[in-house]
Amino acid sequence: MIANSWVEIDLKVLKRNLEIYKGCLNKDQQLMAVVKADAYGHGDVEVAKTLASCGIRDFAVANIEEAVRLREHGIEGQLLILGYTDPEAADDLKKYDITQALISEEYAEALAKKAPGIKTQFAVDTGMNRIGLDAARPNCCCGMIRSFARVFRMTGIFTHLCVADTPAEDEFTRLQIERFSTVAQGVSDLKLPYVHCMNSAGGLWHNDFGNMVRLGIVLYGLKPDIENTLPEGIKPVLCWKSRISMVKNVGKGETVGYGRSYTVAGPMRLATVTAGYADGYNRLLSNKGYVMVNGKKAPVVGRVCMDQFMVDVTGIENAQMGTEVTLIGDGITADEMAQNAGTIGYEILCGISKRVRRIYITD
Ligand SMILES: *Cc1c(COP(=O)(O)O)cnc(C)c1O
């Protein structure tokens, strides 16, 4: 069946990105692949299986559904849930051998009542103020880790850097790493197997602490921040395509789409595209975004509808019913689309909806 909108996911590019990134690490460091949010929209099972075939044994997800899904599809090794899991779900943590992040003292106590002995890693808050024990009070922090290490099978501690992609904030990143290393040293006698603080950006630009890096966005070939320069050879794994359903000529004074937000200034060739915000094509791209048609930029005109939107194909040859349109790919990256929509590449990727068919390229 031919789809109206689909993404092509090149697993060879995924493997190459992994190899290139590995080349940037220190010898004693392992890679944990972050495959939360359906592997940033790329399909968690396919991505995890591909990475497992390349030797990756550690995976991070956001919630228990994601973790169980991977287990049920045969993914082995460490599966770490980076955020909250209702303590009522403790039986599944145990049953599927999932490692749960301990996000606070209160949480650790609640989980200890339900499932002592399960695998956990303590989150440490070094300044992001999201989850974790407060690293600004290292003694208290170490005491807590120590006491819960007797209750759970604790396999590590981790923190999260919140500005590792921003050179102007290097000082704060250094402070975060320093706070984390103080805590890590305070509990070094516990010999926790995993001590980690690096995300994609940290691993590239601040990688001087920890024995594991949690690789997310760069694995998929996007920049943590639009201003970043990625290592040579890292490429986007995903292309997003759609089609033209019809074209027509419109004249000066005509308006396009809901709300009549666009008024045609002169003769225009208008094409309708078979994707919309229900596919994840962000409505904020109304009158702002562009797609590529036969290698040329075609600006979005009017508001993006649920299942369709219109683009200006004036002067673009052979734009007709059935013509393939590139929403993300050659000529427009997800990062560029994000700029046009006022967001980040991460959100664009995980916003590509279930309705959009995933097609995998393996050779
Ligand atoms: C999402 C996430 C990552 C991955 O971040 P990237 O910027 O995509 O590399 C790493 N660690 C934690 C705790 C996360 O939530």
Side-chain angles (χ1 to χ4, degrees):
M1 229 191 320
I2 307 294
N4 277 351
S5 186
W6 67 98
V7 292
E8 296 168 5
I9 294 154
D10 193 333
L11 297 173
K12 299 188 308 297
V13 175
L14 182 81
K15 289 184 191 176
R16 194 180 336 118
N17 289 348
L18 177 72
E19 289 313 313
I20 294 170
Y21 196 94
K22 264 190 195 162
C24 302
L25 298 183
N26 305 322
K27 265 205 234 45
D28 58 340
Q29 279 180 321
Q30 297 192 54
L31 260 187
M32 170 175 266
V34 181
V35 294
K36 63 192 181 193
D38 203 20
Y40 295 42
H42 293 69
D44 52 7
V45 171
E46 291 80 359
V47 164
K49 280 187 173 165
T50 302
L51 298 172
S53 79
C54 299
I56 298 294
R57 297 272 306 159
D58 301 284
F59 298 91
V61 295
N63 63 39
I64 190 150
E65 283 84 2
E66 293 178 348
V68 169
R69 197 174 121 81
L70 289 177
R71 275 285 187 258
E72 288 191 327
H73 284 85
I75 299 301
E76 295 172 358
Q78 177 174 224
L79 275 180
L80 172 64
I81 298 178
L82 296 167
Y84 183 81
T85 301
D86 193 317
E88 295 299 324
D91 286 349
D92 278 341
L93 292 173
K94 192 185 293 176
K95 176 174 165 200
Y96 290 97
D97 187 28
I98 293 163
T99 307
Q100 173 58 46
L102 300 175
I103 62 176
S104 66
E105 177 184 7
E106 185 185 13
Y107 181 76
E109 269 166 12
L111 191 64
K113 282 191 193 121
K114 298 282 178 188
I118 66 167
K119 288 182 186 163
T120 61
Q121 293 198 20
F122 232 123
V124 176
D125 186 346
T126 51
M128 184 173 183
N129 287 310
R130 184 169 68 176
I131 55 165
L133 299 171
D134 190 355
R137 297 160 65 212
N139 291 338
C140 188
C141 206
C142 291
M144 199 69 65
I145 293 167
R146 204 174 285 289
S147 74
F148 281 101
R150 287 190 285 267
V151 177
F152 294 109
R153 184 153 157 226
M154 200 175 289
T155 61
I157 55 171
F158 69 98
T159 192
H160 195 48
L161 305 176
C162 55
V163 281
D165 58 359
T166 312
E169 293 273 17
D170 279 1
E171 206 176 315
F172 193 79
T173 300
R174 271 201 302 277
L175 173 70
Q176 284 196 278
I177 296 170
E178 216 172 276
R179 283 176 170 168
F180 185 61
S181 87
T182 302
V183 172
Q185 274 157 30
V187 293
S188 60
D189 57 300
L190 296 178
K191 302 214 174 347
L192 300 170
Y194 302 100
V195 174
H196 49 116
C197 53
M198 299 298 164
N199 50 15
S200 292
L204 289 176
W205 302 304
H206 302 279
N207 192 10
D208 55 6
F209 190 75
N211 60 8
M212 195 161 72
V213 171
R214 302 185 304 271
L215 173 61
I217 197 76
V218 173
L219 179 60
Y220 307 103
L222 264 65
K223 301 170 179 182
D225 182 88
I226 192 81
E227 305 289 340
N228 298 152
T229 307
L230 293 180
E232 184 75 25
I234 299 259
K235 297 237 157 54
V237 169
L238 165 159
C239 285
W240 187 5
K241 307 270 180 71
S242 195
R243 279 186 207 285
I244 290 175
S245 58
M246 70 163 267
V247 289
K248 69 183 288 193
N249 296 310
V250 288
K252 183 173 168 107
E254 293 273 352
T255 60
V256 180
Y258 285 122
R260 306 182 67 208
S261 68
Y262 186 89
T263 305
V264 177
M268 178 187 279
R269 188 116 176 109
L270 193 64
T272 303
V273 178
T274 57
Y277 60 77
D279 299 286
Y281 197 81
N282 201 308
R283 193 166 168 280
L284 295 171
L285 293 167
S286 299
N287 293 311
K288 288 221 175 82
Y290 65 94
V291 300
M292 299 300 291
V293 179
N294 296 336
K296 298 220 169 83
K297 280 188 186 184
V300 175
V301 291
R303 289 191 189 151
V304 173
C305 314
M306 189 183 288
D307 319 300
Q308 314 177 62
F309 63 94
M310 285 68 86
V311 295
D312 176 1
V313 293
T314 310
I316 301 179
E317 273 168 48
N318 295 323
Q320 59 199 37
M321 182 179 89
T323 300
E324 204 172 282
V325 171
T326 298
L327 311 185
I328 294 173
D330 281 342
I332 177 159
T333 64
D335 287 327
E336 284 161 346
M337 180 190 274
Q339 287 293 104
N340 295 332
T343 181
I344 52 175
Y346 295 75
E347 190 185 5
I348 296 290
L349 289 183
C350 13
I352 302 174
S353 76
K354 285 278 168 289
R355 186 164 88 177
V356 178
R357 187 175 309 161
R358 268 65 173 172
I359 295 168
Y360 292 92
I361 301 166
T362 51
D363 51 20

